[in-house]
Amino acid sequence: MSALNSNNWDRRTVLRAAMGLAATGGLAACGGNTGRSEGGASGKSLTQYFHAYGEAGTQEAIKRYAKDFDGANVATQWITGTNFESKLFSALLTKNAPDVFEFHPQLQLIRSGQVADLSDLVNPVKDDFNPADIKSHTIDGKIWGVRMIDDPQFFYYRKSMLEKAGVEVPQTLDELVEAAAKLTTDKVKGLFIGNDMVQTQYPLVWSSGADQLTADNQIAYHTDAVAETLSKYRTMFKAGHLLTGAPADSWDPSALIQGLCAIQWSGMWAMPALQKALGDDLGIFPYPVAADGAKPSVFNGGWSMFVNAKGKNVDLAKEYVKWLWIDQKEHQEDWALSYGFHVPPRTSIAESADKLKSGLPAEGVKFFNEYGRFENPSWTQAMITAFEELIADVVRKGVEPEKALDTADAKVNRELKKLFG
Amino acid sequence: MSTTTTRDATRPAPAKVSKTKPRRGVRGTTFNFWLFTGPFLIGLLIFVYIPILWSAWLSFYEARYTVTPDKFVGFDNYEYMLTNGDFVRSLGTFSVFAAIVVPVTWALSLGLALMVHRLRFMKAFFRSVFFLPTAVSFVAASLIWKMSIFSGVRFGLMNTVLDWVGIENVAWLADPNPPWYWLVILTLRLWLQSGFYMILFLAALQNIPPSLYEAAAIDGAKPGWQTFWYITLPQLRATSTAVILLLLVAAYQAFDEFFNLLPKTTWGRPPLVELYYTALGDSQDYGAGSAGAMILTVLICTVTLLQGRFMGLGRGDENK
């Protein structure tokens, strides 16, 4: 008998102990993987959530800024895919929720106590922010987020294609419908408003002379003009004048660059890539007038930084947000202008940005100022989804607009009732 | 010769009990049992049973943006899920999906198994070829189907082929009329699943005694359809039952391909996708989502029990 056996250390015992250790280690790993990195010199750590931006260099940039912060080691979750909202919302319910995250100002975040009041951070520099940004982030007299970028969205078009087809830049929705028909060939579709047709959901309402909600938070989108606009979308879709099934959605400029369409809805962020690929063969126009008495419109989207009110380090997270999005103007300028084009929400940065002062970028800024409208924080994610389903039903499925609007009303009213009673 | 004598004669000698290894007794066995099943049971408890109970509890509460609610609403969430139309419609989508995918996959995998079983050469190669798609994830396959094969633009594979024969581009996934999206979803699932069930049928085919076919041949049965119908198919009954049950369970679990192929639609949403949008999606209504999950659980249990009863699952051979 070996010495091992005499000490009860036979093969089975060793194997059993090893497996026990492995199992314990595995369980420990499950419990211990918080997704956070070890603290830096200060021993403190924060986690921030970002959706994956399309422009090259953005991920590296945001990590570079975070590295410059001395107060904590900031880990970045760069979330790819189209369901950033779902991942963020479900993460916010767990202990591994991000300390800071980017999103849009929405009432349900505040009502459910998910975001911290950032008034004390923003108030001292409030006058240097775009007033509309401040307004859209102010609820119950408090400012809940810090705007990082403003993203005007409008139509891009290939000048040469319009000239060849004898099409003028559309001033009304009817002209856009007509242009889409004339520009469609067996190789090129006239218009691209996104594979799922929901990208223009805000301006289609605004340019129809309506709004998402009234000032006292009642449904305002259910009008005959909106129903008529939806019918025109349906006409273009059934006629085959809309691009569908493109490899990348309309936020990406590749459909216009690859010649899959002549006119495409997208954001100002895509302008550098489009200019690089198409040179001067590129123009922009706002969402055209869709009803008598209405105005053209531009959706001023964008992203804002919020602090998780239920996080473990709320004060430190606020300190980080202040440092990066209030104090570090150099980083803010880099973030807005070095990758895609975005309008900096800080007036002082926007006014000094040479890149936005001439040519097509200047025209984009002009549309932003002239026709731009911001999101209403009371128009929440559930309402957005209800409206997206309305578009899917009317435009793609062929449901009568009035019937689909009634269906959306039921969903939106349920949400309004829960939020406002 | 007495059987008792035989058994006695062949009975193995009692094993020597080693004095140095007392742990090999009942206590050691129990320890090993818990060592190997313990982690699994803990996982089952944490990730299955507690969530089910939690979900049942949530379903009676107003649980928006929270999973620790305090407002009891009784059966309101159940009423909402059963009356708002979306969830009920998702059950209809599932029914269409299951009604097509279960029999077609069953027939295709059986057909593949019969073909591969009869091969005289390269059997292992073809077995591997048909089985390999099983290793591909539904998400990856969905992206390939969506962006390469059934892309709605002119350079999508299917549209290129259609162009060769003079047919215009088809918006495979964008337009629900006609519902070409079913073709995309069903071909994807068939490609991914058929190989796995083919292997099950192959194993079953190899277990059919050749003597049955020999006896049938002597009795005058013609090879081909006749032997397949009267010998092969009845012999595959147990495997077929298991395959159909597994296919139905897999159909209930359908999520990835629908979620990835049909974003922002009101059609083509099976129950799990609908529950995802209700609970984990934009609405964050965990109460309503949990109520839907409970309704679905009851439905699955009922269907499974009925199916088991109908197909004789779990009955002994003597009762068949």
Side-chain angles (χ1 to χ4, degrees):
Chain A
M1 192 177 280
S2 71
L4 275 176
N5 274 348
S6 65
N7 288 315
N8 292 336
W9 281 99
D10 61 0
R11 278 198 317 272
R12 285 192 169 84
T13 309
V14 173
L15 183 64
R16 194 181 291 156
M19 292 190 72
L21 274 173
T24 314
L27 287 172
C30 288
N33 183 8
T34 61
R36 294 162 190 267
S37 60
E38 292 301 316
S42 64
K44 296 170 184 171
S45 62
L46 293 172
T47 303
Q48 59 178 354
Y49 271 25
F50 274 80
H51 82 285
Y53 284 66
E55 304 94 283
T58 44
Q59 186 179 5
E60 293 75 15
I62 206 70
K63 287 182 176 175
R64 195 171 61 243
Y65 309 151
K67 209 173 177 182
D68 287 349
F69 181 59
D70 290 332
N73 190 336
V74 184
T76 304
Q77 290 272 329
W78 191 256
I79 297 169
T80 54
T82 54
N83 51 342
F84 172 72
E85 289 88 347
S86 305
K87 285 178 183 171
L88 172 66
F89 290 156
S90 47
L92 285 174
L93 298 173
T94 70
K95 285 183 178 175
N96 293 331
D99 298 289
V100 295
F101 59 91
E102 63 165 8
F103 201 61
H104 317 287
Q106 290 193 355
L107 188 63
Q108 86 274 8
L109 290 171
I110 295 143
R111 288 278 189 271
S112 56
Q114 286 177 322
V115 294
D117 175 11
L118 303 185
S119 304
D120 55 332
L121 269 56
V122 183
N123 273 331
V125 288
K126 194 173 158 183
D127 293 342
D128 191 35
F129 271 91
N130 184 323
D133 275 329
I134 293 294
K135 190 182 170 193
S136 67
H137 289 67
T138 305
I139 296 166
D140 300 333
K142 295 172 183 169
I143 301 170
W144 299 91
V146 182
R147 192 66 148 186
M148 300 184 295
I149 42 172
D150 282 322
D151 286 326
Q153 295 170 39
F154 31 65
F155 283 111
Y156 289 92
Y157 66 95
R158 295 276 291 265
K159 287 179 178 174
S160 58
M161 287 186 178
L162 266 66
E163 277 168 22
K164 193 178 169 190
V167 172
E168 294 292 321
V169 175
Q171 304 296 317
T172 64
L173 183 63
D174 287 334
E175 287 176 15
L176 182 67
V177 173
E178 202 178 321
K182 283 183 181 172
L183 291 162
T184 298
T185 67
D186 59 339
K187 301 286 182 198
V188 180
K189 294 289 184 182
L191 186 64
F192 185 36
I193 50 172
N195 286 322
D196 43 31
M197 320 269 160
V198 302
Q199 307 303 321
T200 55
Q201 59 177 299
Y202 287 96
L204 89 78
V205 172
W206 296 331
S207 280
S208 301
D211 205 341
Q212 276 71 37
L213 297 173
T214 59
D216 59 345
N217 295 309
Q218 301 295 312
I219 287 173
Y221 60 79
H222 192 150
T223 66
D224 290 345
V226 169
E228 183 64 23
T229 300
L230 288 166
S231 295
K232 286 172 185 170
Y233 271 49
R234 171 71 181 166
T235 305
M236 287 192 284
F237 177 69
K238 279 316 283 177
H241 301 154
L242 297 180
L243 175 63
T244 56
D249 221 317
S250 67
W251 55 264
D252 185 285
S254 57
L256 198 65
I257 292 171
Q258 291 168 358
L260 293 174
C261 61
I263 303 173
Q264 174 181 342
W265 182 262
S266 198
M268 190 138 155
W269 61 82
M271 199 177 274
L274 281 162
Q275 285 184 305
K276 190 178 172 188
L278 303 174
D280 292 334
D281 187 19
L282 184 69
I284 56 173
F285 63 92
Y287 192 99
V289 174
D292 290 341
K295 291 179 181 173
S297 55
V298 164
F299 173 48
N300 286 347
W303 290 91
S304 313
M305 187 53 73
F306 296 89
V307 169
N308 175 9
K310 295 172 184 171
K312 291 171 191 163
N313 302 299
V314 176
D315 290 338
L316 184 61
K318 284 177 73 172
E319 192 186 322
Y320 172 66
V321 170
K322 181 181 179 300
W323 174 83
L324 181 53
W325 300 112
I326 303 283
D327 299 337
Q328 301 299 309
K329 284 191 167 184
E330 201 177 300
H331 288 334
Q332 292 160 39
E333 188 174 352
D334 182 65
W335 183 240
L337 298 163
S338 296
Y339 310 98
F341 283 160
H342 311 268
V343 179
R346 300 289 290 274
T347 316
S348 55
I349 300 174
E351 283 175 352
S352 64
D354 290 336
K355 289 180 179 176
L356 299 177
K357 284 181 178 168
S358 60
L360 211 56
E363 203 175 339
V365 173
K366 185 173 158 261
F367 288 155
F368 170 81
N369 292 325
E370 213 166 319
Y371 304 119
R373 293 180 66 169
F374 288 76
E375 47 216 321
N376 178 349
S378 296
W379 185 251
T380 64
Q381 204 63 37
M383 299 182 205
I384 293 170
T385 302
F387 204 86
E388 287 173 349
E389 290 175 354
L390 161 69
I391 293 174
D393 275 347
V394 176
V395 183
R396 295 160 69 188
K397 203 175 177 182
V399 177
E400 280 298 313
E402 199 54 45
K403 191 180 168 193
L405 280 161
D406 287 342
T407 305
D409 289 354
K411 292 176 181 175
V412 172
N413 274 327
R414 181 173 185 260
E415 180 75 1
L416 287 171
K417 193 179 171 191
K418 287 185 182 291
L419 286 170
F420 301 105
Chain B
M1 188 182 283
S2 153
T3 52
T4 309
T5 311
T6 307
R7 276 208 304 269
D8 285 343
T10 56
R11 183 181 291 165
K16 273 188 180 176
V17 179
S18 168
K19 290 178 183 174
T20 57
K21 295 178 180 173
R23 296 178 313 283
R24 286 186 137 187
V26 175
R27 198 177 155 198
T29 308
T30 308
F31 176 78
N32 286 338
F33 170 80
W34 286 113
L35 179 68
F36 285 100
T37 59
F40 172 73
L41 287 175
I42 290 168
L44 200 66
L45 188 72
I46 294 172
F47 296 110
V48 178
Y49 293 126
I50 291 176
I52 288 175
L53 292 174
W54 199 340
S55 184
W57 177 72
L58 278 175
S59 68
F60 295 104
Y61 282 81
E62 165 77 48
R64 287 167 63 79
Y65 319 114
T66 178
V67 286
T68 52
D70 49 18
K71 188 180 171 189
F72 183 77
V73 293
F75 284 93
D76 281 7
N77 288 322
Y78 287 89
E79 189 191 345
Y80 170 70
M81 291 305 283
L82 290 170
T83 55
N84 86 336
D86 292 344
F87 181 68
V88 176
R89 202 159 36 242
S90 78
L91 295 174
T93 301
F94 161 76
S95 302
V96 172
F97 177 60
I100 300 171
V101 84
V102 172
V104 173
T105 313
W106 176 85
L108 185 66
S109 50
L110 177 59
L112 287 175
L114 288 168
M115 279 197 304
V116 172
H117 185 61
R118 283 166 184 267
L119 283 175
R120 293 181 186 279
F121 60 95
M122 294 182 77
K123 198 172 191 170
F125 171 77
F126 282 105
R127 204 166 46 201
S128 304
V129 164
F130 291 129
F131 182 73
L132 270 177
T134 305
V136 180
S137 86
F138 270 84
V139 176
S142 300
L143 292 177
I144 295 168
W145 249 244
K146 182 180 184 175
M147 299 175 82
S148 299
I149 302 173
F150 290 100
S151 168
V153 293
R154 64 174 188 269
F155 46 71
L157 180 64
M158 286 299 287
N159 278 343
T160 305
V161 172
L162 291 179
D163 189 45
W164 290 341
V165 291
I167 298 174
E168 275 190 29
N169 283 357
V170 174
W172 299 101
L173 294 165
D175 194 347
N177 300 311
W180 286 116
Y181 65 90
W182 277 122
L183 179 73
V184 184
I185 285 168
L186 292 168
T187 51
L188 171 70
R189 189 159 268 249
L190 285 173
W191 184 69
L192 287 174
Q193 282 196 153
S194 299
F196 174 76
Y197 295 104
M198 176 200 74
I199 295 290
L200 297 188
F201 277 123
L202 266 177
L205 284 169
Q206 284 164 1
N207 279 335
I208 300 175
S211 56
L212 275 179
Y213 293 102
E214 290 161 9
I218 291 169
D219 287 344
K222 293 172 189 165
W225 179 250
Q226 213 169 38
T227 51
F228 170 74
W229 190 253
Y230 291 107
I231 298 173
T232 309
L233 208 53
Q235 288 293 313
L236 293 176
R237 184 181 167 177
T239 308
S240 286
T241 304
V243 164
I244 289 169
L245 186 68
L246 289 171
L247 281 170
L248 199 62
V249 171
Y252 266 115
Q253 293 175 335
F255 179 86
D256 291 348
E257 70 268 52
F258 287 92
F259 183 76
N260 286 290
L261 292 171
L262 299 170
K264 300 195 191 297
T265 61
T266 53
W267 56 90
R269 281 188 187 179
L272 284 193
V273 175
E274 188 58 45
L275 292 181
Y276 174 84
Y277 284 125
T278 305
L280 283 171
D282 301 336
S283 302
Q284 284 196 89
D285 194 338
Y286 299 96
S290 297
M294 288 298 115
I295 295 167
L296 191 62
T297 305
V298 170
L299 198 66
I300 291 173
C301 289
T302 308
V303 170
T304 308
L305 287 172
L306 287 174
Q307 192 198 14
R309 192 169 181 81
F310 178 69
M311 300 190 79
L313 196 72
R315 257 185 263 154
D317 284 344
E318 68 278 7
N319 293 332
K320 282 178 185 172

